[in-house]
Amino acid sequence: MFCYVVKEPVGVCGLIVPWNFPLLIATWELAPALAAGCTVVLKPAEQTPLSALRLGELALEAGIPEGVLNVVTGDGATGAALVDHPDVDKIAFTGSTVVGREIGAKCGQALKRVTLELGGKSPNIILPDADLRAAVSGSFQGIYYNTGQACNAGSRLFVHRDQFDEVVSGLAEKAGKTRVGPGLDPSSQLGPLVSAEQLERVTGYIGAGKRDGAELVVGGNGGDGDGYFVEPTLFTTEDDSLSITREEIFGPVLVAQPYESIEEVAERANDTEYGLAAGVWTRDLSNAHRLASLLRAGSVYVNNWRGGDAALPFGGFKASGVGREHGREGLEAYLETKSVSIAL
């Protein structure tokens, strides 16, 4: 017998991408799909269609044949039609866990290939031996980057009780000095939220935090002038059951909580339906490896936030998704394996 294995393109791929990084995430999905030999239908979010349309134009100018990279705009109904279409062999979706569950259920019913990169409520842990200056700076960027509109934002901060007041004070000072304004203004450090709907969502969670008894340390208001602005907001609480500590807000809202031991903080960090990312700040390599093993998350960042290699697989445990993007695993998601056996 002569036996060999062939990797073939999975076929037509529907790529549904979100509004928070519209061009970046489109390229994340397109690159492996096209490299694998698939044809694609790219569906951008209804809030941010223009970059995807321009990308489609540039693809034609670059010589990609017509029909290989197709861009279809529209709202959720358009995405649903793409998921349901019998000629689409695979769906890649980046977005909310609520919509991801619906897409996953449809793809499961049709036995259609699917990868899902969904929401998160990512814990960020500062150990007692950490470089506090670096930890405060990194934790600030981990949540307020892109105005908190990132699936892997470090929105839950755990600080050892002995350093808790110092870290909270440092974060509050940085937040108070942050300039909120239009994204095209060079002096702005924190831009607007994407829409009135997102503004209502974020301010709703801020109001809930206040009503539920969390302490508002800084922020919570809009910026100066017209626009969907929210100041960098910081709450503290010891209650793990509040909506602001358990639910994805997708805005510039950080909840800081004290802890006593590594075992305690690992258990509390894992007590969530999500598992996209986690952070650890420490000078102790043994504790870094220990927490990296204990934390149920697809990415664990030690003394940084968001990692340092574009080829690292990215995706989540539990309700944060199915499958991985980037690197070899990201490419494999667009390939089928065929085994061939020939009698000689």
Side-chain angles (χ1 to χ4, degrees):
M1 302 289 288
F2 173 59
C3 303
Y4 60 93
V5 176
V6 181
K7 294 286 188 178
E8 296 182 348
V10 70
V12 179
C13 299
L15 312 179
I16 304 173
V17 299
W19 47 257
N20 57 331
F21 297 99
L23 183 60
L24 176 67
I25 296 179
T27 60
W28 283 5
E29 305 290 3
L30 284 169
L34 295 176
C38 300
T39 56
V40 301
V41 180
L42 174 64
K43 192 277 186 194
E46 60 265 36
Q47 298 90 344
T48 53
L50 299 182
S51 54
L53 290 168
R54 181 58 180 144
L55 182 61
E57 292 174 346
L58 292 171
L60 292 174
E61 291 179 25
I64 295 178
E66 292 185 10
V68 173
L69 196 173
N70 309 277
V71 181
V72 176
T73 62
D75 59 10
T78 305
L82 188 59
V83 172
D84 291 336
H85 199 290
D87 290 337
V88 174
D89 300 288
K90 172 188 165 61
I91 293 291
F93 171 77
T94 301
S96 73
T97 294
V98 172
V99 176
R101 283 194 171 104
E102 296 178 8
I103 291 174
K106 287 186 173 185
C107 291
Q109 181 68 30
L111 297 179
K112 186 174 294 190
R113 305 294 182 263
V114 64
T115 52
L116 304 169
E117 198 273 280
L118 308 177
K121 190 70 177 176
S122 298
N124 190 17
I125 301 167
I126 300 178
L127 294 183
D129 66 336
D131 178 340
L132 291 188
R133 184 175 180 180
V136 167
S137 179
S139 299
F140 189 89
Q141 288 297 319
I143 175 59
Y144 298 122
Y145 171 73
N146 205 42
T147 319
Q149 299 169 119
C151 54
N152 62 341
S155 53
R156 289 192 299 157
L157 181 65
F158 291 99
V159 186
H160 194 274
R161 195 174 295 276
D162 291 345
Q163 287 85 34
F164 187 76
D165 290 345
E166 181 180 355
V167 169
V168 169
S169 177
L171 288 167
E173 182 181 359
K174 287 180 71 68
K177 295 178 179 178
T178 299
R179 294 186 298 273
V180 179
L184 295 179
D185 184 342
S187 68
S188 296
Q189 296 173 301
L190 197 74
L193 297 169
V194 71
S195 64
E197 179 184 7
Q198 191 64 18
L199 178 65
E200 182 179 359
R201 173 185 175 88
V202 172
T203 55
Y205 272 108
I206 292 173
K210 295 176 182 178
R211 291 192 301 273
D212 292 342
E215 180 184 352
L216 178 61
V217 179
V218 70
N221 300 310
D224 295 332
D226 296 330
Y228 307 131
F229 298 111
V230 174
E231 296 172 334
T233 300
L234 172 62
F235 283 99
T236 61
T237 182
E238 298 199 27
D239 190 344
D240 291 347
S241 67
L242 303 186
S243 62
I244 60 170
T245 62
R246 303 199 65 82
E247 298 176 18
E248 185 178 43
I249 298 173
F250 225 67
V253 181
L254 176 62
V255 182
Q257 299 180 270
Y259 72 92
E260 301 285 353
S261 69
I262 286 181
E263 293 78 12
E264 173 209 338
V265 75
E267 182 178 356
R268 291 171 65 192
N270 289 332
D271 183 21
T272 171
E273 68 171 329
Y274 299 109
L276 188 58
V280 180
W281 299 86
T282 180
R283 290 187 175 98
D284 188 322
L285 192 58
S286 295
N287 282 336
H289 286 298
R290 184 181 180 193
L291 272 173
S293 177
L294 290 172
L295 293 169
R296 296 278 296 161
S299 297
V300 178
Y301 311 123
V302 179
N303 295 332
N304 74 96
W305 193 267
R306 291 192 175 85
D309 191 323
L312 280 172
F314 181 74
F317 290 17
K318 299 185 284 187
S320 287
V322 175
R324 295 293 184 270
E325 297 171 334
H326 308 325
R328 185 176 184 87
E329 286 192 59
L331 184 62
E332 292 282 347
Y334 292 91
L335 295 169
E336 292 282 19
T337 301
K338 178 182 289 183
S339 299
V340 181
S341 300
I342 301 175
L344 302 178

